[in-house]
Amino acid sequence: MKILVTGGAGYIGSHTVVELQEKGYEVIIVDNLSNSYQSVINNIHKITGTLPDFEEFDLCDRQKTLDFFSRHQDMDGVIHFAAYKAVGQSVEQPLKYYHNNLTSLMNILEGMKKNEVENIVFSSSCTVYGQPEKLPVAEDAPVQAAASPYGNTKQISEEIITDTAKANQNVKGILLRYFNPIGAHESILIGELPLGVPDNLVPFITQTAIGKREQLSVFGNDYNTPDGTAIRDYIHVVDLAKAHVVAVDRMINNQHKANPEVFNLGTGNGYSVLEVVKAFEKVADQPLKYKIVDRRPGDVEQVWADTSFANRELGWKARKDLEDMMRTAWNWEKALAEKNTEE
Ligand code: UD1
């Protein structure tokens, strides 16, 4: 079984390639390395003992994408990660986000249709729920107006896949709505590699602890939550990666019950920013310097997943807890620092 993983050199993509290879899948990565590194592919090789095929090009290039699909008509499915994901940057440069995230998806779907590649798993986000009225949030909760062009590209992509599947029953889709993926592979050979100042909480925490950032800014402590800081559903990236393998298996084995199917990928547990900081301090055995600042515009107060549908239908469940997430994130940051001193 052969799977195309777009963005397979990226954070979630690389962890998914490892899980696919460990289940015996043959993987081809397409990545333009705009926010990732070729060395990640060698590190995947070190973990699994198998070097994935890799082609470096931009999926926004229609001709190259169609040519790729015509050369790989034997593929059994596509997992599409390749996309821009910085929320703030998407507000400043909306066209860049719409162009990149939507053009690539449309090119892929065209390539799939023309070459009878049937199955696509798409990286969506819990951002589509906005601030849900009911918690935990289930897949049938209404999609709310997007708070950023980034979030809007996720909603529009879900619609593009839904309409394409409606019009072509041989295109099958699974939309995976991620909550907050964090942590790194136990081997510490792959993990998150944020470019510049991290937007996300956990890389900011680990970079502060290693001394790259002076202190963490906690965005708001006046939310209507027990300690006043915002609550999210953090999920270990390896648990998340495993769900992609299950989703691909499900489509290949025709266990699909709707087209597209939609699943939440979270643990079902919500943790506040300060609880995450405390969990980090515990595993790192050191205090973290932080200050409370204003809320970040566009942030929701609290969101965590109802995972019962995904658990039941996929037979998948997140296994790792917050300490596993913090421990691997911290080990990864320390490994990066060691590597930099060696170089
Ligand atoms: C963000 C995006 C989400 C996207 C995800 C992808 C928004 C509103 N949401 O999720 O759409 O899918 O990233 O990576 O941007 N925090 C701090 N200090 C920091 C960084 C974060 O206090 O320096 C807080 C945030 O206010 C939030 C929590 O930590 O409460 C998690 O933030 P983050 O890691 O950025 O993820 P989200 O905002 O949940």
Side-chain angles (χ1 to χ4, degrees):
M1 294 287 168
K2 192 162 151 187
I3 307 293
L4 162 63
V5 180
T6 77
Y11 174 44
I12 304 173
S14 58
H15 288 81
T16 301
V17 172
V18 167
E19 296 304 316
L20 284 166
Q21 289 186 327
E22 286 183 346
K23 279 271 156 54
Y25 279 97
E26 188 185 331
V27 176
I28 312 183
I29 293 174
V30 171
D31 200 305
N32 65 359
L33 303 181
S34 65
N35 188 19
S36 58
Y37 304 90
Q38 174 111 31
S39 58
V40 171
I41 298 181
N42 302 329
N43 287 341
I44 291 172
H45 185 192
K46 281 188 202 154
I47 296 171
T48 64
T50 308
L51 184 65
D53 275 344
F54 169 54
E55 294 196 24
E56 182 182 343
F57 70 90
D58 188 338
L59 292 150
C60 290
D61 186 324
R62 179 168 172 271
Q63 217 38 60
K64 282 191 184 151
T65 306
L66 294 183
D67 171 64
F68 172 86
F69 274 92
S70 64
R71 284 186 285 111
H72 297 283
Q73 292 179 335
D74 57 339
M75 285 188 308
D76 298 285
V78 178
I79 307 183
H80 180 40
F81 293 104
Y84 292 152
K85 60 165 190 178
V87 177
Q89 192 185 51
S90 81
V91 175
E92 284 152 26
Q93 301 177 56
L95 290 178
K96 177 175 163 168
Y97 274 67
Y98 286 117
H99 176 74
N100 184 65
N101 291 6
L102 302 180
T103 310
S104 54
L105 173 64
M106 290 188 287
N107 289 341
I108 290 165
L109 288 169
E110 190 182 348
M112 287 173 63
K113 251 178 52 186
K114 285 206 163 102
N115 296 284
E116 293 173 15
V117 175
E118 293 197 339
N119 305 310
I120 180 162
V121 177
F122 177 68
S123 289
S124 190
S125 165
C126 71
T127 190
V128 302
Y129 299 122
Q131 177 59 65
E133 276 181 20
K134 210 174 122 218
L135 285 168
V137 63
E139 289 83 349
D140 58 1
V143 166
Q144 296 201 30
S148 69
Y150 157 78
N152 210 16
T153 67
K154 292 296 174 194
Q155 294 191 5
I156 298 170
S157 296
E158 288 198 356
E159 288 169 0
I160 291 174
I161 294 171
T162 304
D163 289 342
T164 307
K166 218 184 276 168
N168 309 272
Q169 272 308 309
N170 55 350
V171 173
K172 293 185 282 177
I174 292 188
L175 313 176
L176 298 178
R177 292 179 177 162
Y178 309 158
F179 282 68
N180 288 57
I182 59 170
H185 196 263
E186 289 286 349
S187 64
I188 308 302
L189 285 163
I190 54 173
E192 194 167 2
L193 287 164
L195 268 186
V197 183
D199 288 320
N200 297 114
L201 177 63
V202 173
F204 206 103
I205 289 178
T206 55
Q207 288 195 6
T208 304
I210 209 87
K212 265 174 109 170
R213 310 280 159 212
E214 205 199 319
Q215 62 181 333
L216 170 72
S217 294
V218 174
F219 298 139
N221 69 346
D222 57 352
Y223 285 109
N224 185 22
T225 60
D227 66 18
T229 63
I231 295 178
R232 296 288 182 275
D233 184 338
Y234 297 91
I235 174 169
H236 196 288
V237 64
V238 171
D239 279 329
L240 190 84
K242 288 181 195 289
H244 291 74
V245 182
V246 176
V248 160
D249 278 344
R250 180 176 176 89
M251 285 194 285
I252 291 175
N253 296 322
N254 284 317
Q255 291 161 330
H256 219 238
K257 293 190 185 155
N259 197 12
E261 286 187 307
V262 182
F263 296 106
N264 281 344
L265 297 185
T267 64
N269 303 311
Y271 291 102
S272 72
V273 176
L274 290 182
E275 284 174 320
V276 173
V277 168
K278 274 195 205 103
F280 176 80
E281 290 178 326
K282 184 172 170 203
V283 303
D285 197 20
Q286 67 179 72
L288 187 86
K289 212 171 153 203
Y290 70 85
K291 63 172 178 198
I292 308 287
V293 301
D294 285 347
R295 293 180 178 193
R296 181 170 67 177
D299 272 353
V300 300
E301 180 169 273
Q302 42 189 327
V303 61
W304 64 93
D306 181 337
T307 61
S308 49
F309 182 62
N311 294 161
R312 187 175 71 240
E313 278 300 318
L314 297 177
W316 163 90
K317 200 173 174 6
R319 300 275 165 211
K320 293 177 189 282
D321 63 18
L322 189 61
E323 286 190 14
D324 295 325
M325 302 180 211
M326 291 298 135
R327 180 176 45 77
T328 52
W330 180 225
N331 286 343
W332 170 245
E333 190 69 62
K334 287 188 290 186
L336 284 179
E338 260 168 47
K339 207 167 143 270
N340 288 340
T341 23
E342 278 165 21
E343 274 166 6

